[in-house]
Amino acid sequence: AFVCLLLCLSWGSSCPLSCQCTGQAGAKAMVCSARHLEEIPKDIPQDTAFLKLDTNSITRVPSNTFWHPSHLEEFDLSRNTIEKINGAAFRGVAAALHTLDLSSNRICSVPKEALLTLNAKLHLANNPWHCECTLQEVLWEARLDPSSVQDITCHMALQEEYVGKSLLQVLDAGVNFCSVRERTTYVAMFVTMFAWFAMVIAYVVCYVRHNREDTHRHVEYLKSLPRSQNPAE
């Protein structure tokens, strides 16, 4: 039991070789900036409170990145090449996290459950965002850093006129991407129903025409048969 406890303690206080771990105000800071990392290290000490993974080549934040309870308070993932964030990416750090920096990545969209479960202040600026309902809900419900909200820009949008504009500016103009999605859904349902109705009508028309042609051929066939002569004649 003593050996197991010793191993656990040494694991909890270890530091990945590519990083530098220091004490900061009684808490551990793990700095892995500009270390050419392509993924988040799996051996992050459990007592890490400040984690800097900025300026690397990390492309995704998978589910359960922090599978054990964590005391992480500040998490910097800025200036990477992140494109995908899983909905359960920050599950292990939701309780303690105060700041999450995802700025200057390649994020187009993110599952809202990944961010709305956090009480952390979010930095989302300078990403090629696709302005749609999910991002709008994140802007309304999440805790965003006020200084970076203006830099959340629409790189893509359903309407070309919003491309290149600040999302906050677009929403202040009265645009509601969620209602646009609802209208799009209703239009798609209407088109589908219309197509189904047209197929039914086309089938009925073909069926009637086919029966009419069969009836006409049968009548012509009966007319072509020789008539039976009267015995009295």
Side-chain angles (χ1 to χ4, degrees), residues 144-180:
L144 298 181
D145 177 58
S147 63
S148 66
V149 172
Q150 287 289 350
D151 294 324
I152 301 177
T153 305
C154 296
H155 185 77
M156 295 177 288
L158 293 176
Q159 288 82 9
E160 189 70 24
E161 59 186 297
Y162 304 138
V163 174
K165 294 184 178 180
S166 164
L167 176 60
L168 187 62
Q169 177 186 355
V170 173
L171 296 179
D172 284 343
V175 177
N176 189 334
F177 291 108
C178 294
S179 64
V180 169

Side-chain angles (χ1 to χ4, degrees), residues 6-224:
L6 184 61
L7 289 174
C8 290
L9 290 175
S10 63
W11 176 85
S13 59
S14 63
C15 185
L17 295 177
S18 58
C19 304
Q20 180 181 1
C21 297
T22 59
Q24 178 177 326
K28 178 171 288 187
M30 177 174 158
V31 180
C32 312
S33 304
R35 298 300 177 95
H36 306 290
L37 299 177
E38 297 182 357
E39 61 180 16
I40 297 174
K42 296 180 174 59
D43 49 353
I44 299 172
Q46 187 172 344
D47 54 353
T48 301
F50 307 96
L51 178 58
K52 288 181 66 63
L53 298 175
D54 59 297
T55 321
N56 282 291
S57 301
I58 299 171
T59 58
R60 56 191 294 266
V61 186
S63 296
N64 302 316
T65 300
F66 301 89
W67 58 270
H68 52 74
S70 174
H71 302 288
L72 192 63
E73 297 179 8
E74 296 184 12
F75 192 9
D76 187 356
L77 282 167
S78 63
R79 294 183 295 280
N80 276 277
T81 56
I82 297 173
E83 297 180 355
K84 182 177 181 181
I85 297 177
N86 192 275
F90 306 110
R91 180 177 297 168
V93 297
L97 198 62
H98 295 164
T99 303
L100 175 62
D101 194 342
L102 294 169
S103 61
S104 301
N105 278 280
R106 299 177 182 175
I107 307 171
C108 298
S109 61
V110 61
K112 62 181 180 180
E113 61 268 20
L115 301 181
L116 296 186
T117 56
L118 301 175
N119 292 320
K121 183 181 294 184
L122 304 176
H123 299 256
L124 303 177
N126 301 318
N127 281 286
W129 289 108
H130 179 197
C131 288
E132 38 79 39
C133 183
T134 299
L135 183 60
Q136 176 179 312
E137 291 176 340
V138 169
L139 186 66
W140 282 349
E141 301 178 35
R143 290 184 57 212
L144 298 181
D145 177 58
S147 63
S148 66
V149 172
Q150 287 289 350
D151 294 324
I152 301 177
T153 305
C154 296
H155 185 77
M156 295 177 288
L158 293 176
Q159 288 82 9
E160 189 70 24
E161 59 186 297
Y162 304 138
V163 174
K165 294 184 178 180
S166 164
L167 176 60
L168 187 62
Q169 177 186 355
V170 173
L171 296 179
D172 284 343
V175 177
N176 189 334
F177 291 108
C178 294
S179 64
V180 169
R181 184 175 68 177
E182 291 176 358
R183 289 200 300 270
T184 303
T185 302
Y186 292 149
V187 170
M189 291 176 60
F190 177 78
V191 171
T192 302
M193 293 178 63
F194 179 80
W196 180 83
F197 186 66
M199 289 176 60
V200 172
I201 292 178
Y203 173 78
V204 171
V205 170
C206 291
Y207 179 79
V208 171
R209 182 179 298 174
H210 180 72
N211 282 355
R212 183 180 298 172
E213 291 175 354
D214 283 349
T215 302
H216 179 71
R217 285 196 296 268
H218 185 66
V219 170
E220 292 297 324
Y221 172 74
L222 293 178
K223 289 181 178 180
S224 65

